[in-house]
Amino acid sequence: MNGEPLIQVPGCVSACRACKGKSAPYFETVEAKLRWSGRYLENWREFTRPVQVSHKPLYYRERILLHVEGDADCGYCFGLYQDEAVLPIPECPLHEPSYNQALERLRLYLPRGLPLRFVHSNRQQLTLVFKCAPFELDGDAWRPVFDLLAQTPWQGMTFDFNPAAGRRVFSAKTRRLIWGTDQSQVKCAGQSFTYGPVCFLQNDYTLYASAIAQSAAFLNQGTAYLDLYCGIGMSTAVIRSGRPTLAVEVSGESLRHARGQVEGAEFLQGTIENRLPQIKQFADRFESLDVFVNPSRLGVGRAVIRTFETDLNNVARVAYLSCHPRSLSEDLVEFEAVGFQVVSVWPYDFFPRTGHIEQLVLLERK
């Protein structure tokens, strides 16, 4: 079944436009993504290595974000928002089946008439996003939901009250644990890591562990280690190898988990740009540094990379895990301008059957 076109897989909704290449077999979709990313990375074609493909290109997503429409009479509709309406995708073949089943049962059990706008499954953490101010819970109305949750993969349910819910899904402050625990565990590279309801997680930890191990093997020159956008601390724990470490992360929730599971490292919350003074102070204490960077699709940016020529001129090697080839190509030009050279480019298909492909780029100073 993994080899056939997605449109032929039971549960795939033909009208859904979330996936790319639905009429092509899996490996053809990978080749299409490589051609697309290759247009941006043409200058580094000679350094590109074979793509690392997923062992599970179907039924893999446990991180699921669905839009919600509904009213007091008809109940709720969960699905993909397109053409100004929510398209139901109750048996999406990219979602892990137990989560599809749990979401469908949740949809039927929820009390009606609430301004529910999003449902977010973050592996074993469930978040309901309401477009309103916080409200008091009617325990009797929600008791069937609590009973249901005990039979699902979720270990906790959190309410997020966001009166402006829309392009920005989650609120910054008004989040409340309603049932269970707001802390679960995920395994990567033989270690267990805790996470919360809105911490960023990968979908394929077999591939991610491979990328982190590859980075760790390469980042062996510096006497200290910088982890820029460390998430919940997986890359920090695996790559640092006992060295003095500074890790930076934007998300306060992710950073709390990272601090709790990586001993001996220093942590800062904020963007790289905002934390450059503290990063420089850390770098000045050591002869050489290795850096792992895992930015958003916007990339690292020229202003930060230029500091690798001045304030951070003791950086020896960089492992850059990118989620967008356009920003990556722009950043690689900047890295080369400040004295780095590309050693290798490794494509990773973290999100099978979608239009996304990651690239792990290993760079060293000339």
Side-chain angles (χ1 to χ4, degrees), residues 44 228-229 272-273 276 279 291 293 295 298-315 318 320 326-341 363 365:
W44 302 277
L228 304 180
Y229 300 127
I272 303 175
E273 294 90 334
L276 278 174
I279 293 172
V291 176
V293 58
L298 297 177
V300 179
R302 180 178 184 180
V304 171
I305 296 173
R306 289 290 172 171
T307 65
F308 283 65
E309 187 177 32
T310 54
D311 296 339
L312 301 178
N313 59 10
N314 55 343
V315 172
V318 176
Y320 183 148
R326 176 185 295 171
S327 58
L328 174 61
S329 65
E330 295 169 353
D331 284 347
L332 291 182
V333 169
E334 296 297 334
F335 270 112
E336 290 181 337
V338 298
F340 284 83
Q341 61 186 3
L363 304 106
R365 196 176 290 276

Side-chain angles (χ1 to χ4, degrees), residues 98-363:
S98 65
Y99 286 87
N100 276 339
Q101 296 163 12
L103 285 164
E104 178 61 13
R105 295 180 68 191
L106 176 69
R107 183 185 70 82
L108 298 173
Y109 275 70
L110 285 173
R112 295 186 178 184
L114 297 172
L116 180 63
R117 291 297 175 264
F118 296 96
V119 175
H120 179 240
S121 172
N122 197 26
R123 288 184 172 259
Q124 294 171 303
Q125 291 291 316
L126 173 69
T127 301
L128 305 185
V129 180
F130 296 94
K131 191 169 184 175
C132 64
F135 57 79
E136 292 301 318
L137 209 66
D138 181 342
D140 291 337
W142 283 88
R143 188 164 293 111
V145 177
F146 299 154
D147 293 340
L148 167 67
L149 291 173
Q151 306 169 40
T152 70
W154 298 307
Q155 296 177 342
M157 179 174 70
T158 297
F159 283 5
D160 189 295
F161 300 99
N162 183 6
R167 292 183 63 87
R168 180 171 181 172
V169 176
F170 303 108
S171 66
K173 299 178 181 178
T174 50
R175 197 172 296 142
R176 184 191 305 166
L177 177 66
I178 301 299
W179 173 86
T181 176
D182 60 358
Q183 180 170 292
S184 296
Q185 287 192 341
V186 62
K187 288 188 176 181
C188 179
Q191 301 184 46
S192 293
F193 298 89
T194 64
Y195 65 92
V198 298
C199 292
F200 175 78
L201 299 176
Q202 295 290 344
N203 277 297
D204 189 329
Y205 276 104
T206 300
L207 278 186
Y208 183 67
S210 175
I212 295 301
Q214 199 167 11
S215 300
F218 180 73
L219 298 177
N220 59 7
Q221 299 296 302
T223 56
Y225 171 60
L226 269 176
D227 195 327
L228 304 180
Y229 300 127
C230 68
I232 62 173
M234 290 182 177
S235 52
T236 316
V238 175
I239 298 174
R240 65 179 299 219
S241 189
R243 292 175 289 182
T245 296
L246 175 64
V248 181
E249 171 56 38
V250 172
S251 165
E253 180 176 317
S254 293
L255 198 63
R256 286 194 298 274
H257 286 274
R259 283 192 172 114
Q261 51 207 4
V262 183
E263 295 183 1
E266 301 175 45
F267 292 93
L268 294 172
Q269 183 178 357
T271 64
I272 303 175
E273 294 90 334
N274 292 339
R275 289 301 190 174
L276 278 174
Q278 293 93 335
I279 293 172
K280 180 183 183 302
Q281 290 176 2
F282 175 82
D284 286 345
R285 291 157 43 192
F286 305 101
E287 180 181 352
S288 59
L289 296 170
D290 286 331
V291 176
F292 179 78
V293 58
N294 184 12
S296 72
R297 64 183 56 193
L298 297 177
V300 179
R302 180 178 184 180
V304 171
I305 296 173
R306 289 290 172 171
T307 65
F308 283 65
E309 187 177 32
T310 54
D311 296 339
L312 301 178
N313 59 10
N314 55 343
V315 172
R317 287 183 169 182
V318 176
Y320 183 148
L321 186 58
S322 165
C323 60
H324 201 288
R326 176 185 295 171
S327 58
L328 174 61
S329 65
E330 295 169 353
D331 284 347
L332 291 182
V333 169
E334 296 297 334
F335 270 112
E336 290 181 337
V338 298
F340 284 83
Q341 61 186 3
V342 172
V343 175
S344 57
V345 180
W346 295 85
Y348 277 86
D349 191 24
F350 284 170
F351 300 92
R353 306 278 188 165
T354 72
H356 303 289
I357 190 163
E358 267 63 21
Q359 313 276 347
L360 174 64
V361 183
L362 306 180
L363 304 106

Side-chain angles (χ1 to χ4, degrees), residues 66-118:
L66 298 177
H67 287 74
V68 180
E69 284 184 341
D71 56 44
D73 296 325
C74 300
Y76 301 99
C77 174
F78 293 178
L80 174 75
Y81 190 78
Q82 65 178 43
D83 299 329
E84 300 184 357
V86 173
L87 176 70
I89 50 172
E91 298 179 344
C92 174
L94 297 193
H95 299 168
E96 205 283 329
S98 65
Y99 286 87
N100 276 339
Q101 296 163 12
L103 285 164
E104 178 61 13
R105 295 180 68 191
L106 176 69
R107 183 185 70 82
L108 298 173
Y109 275 70
L110 285 173
R112 295 186 178 184
L114 297 172
L116 180 63
R117 291 297 175 264
F118 296 96

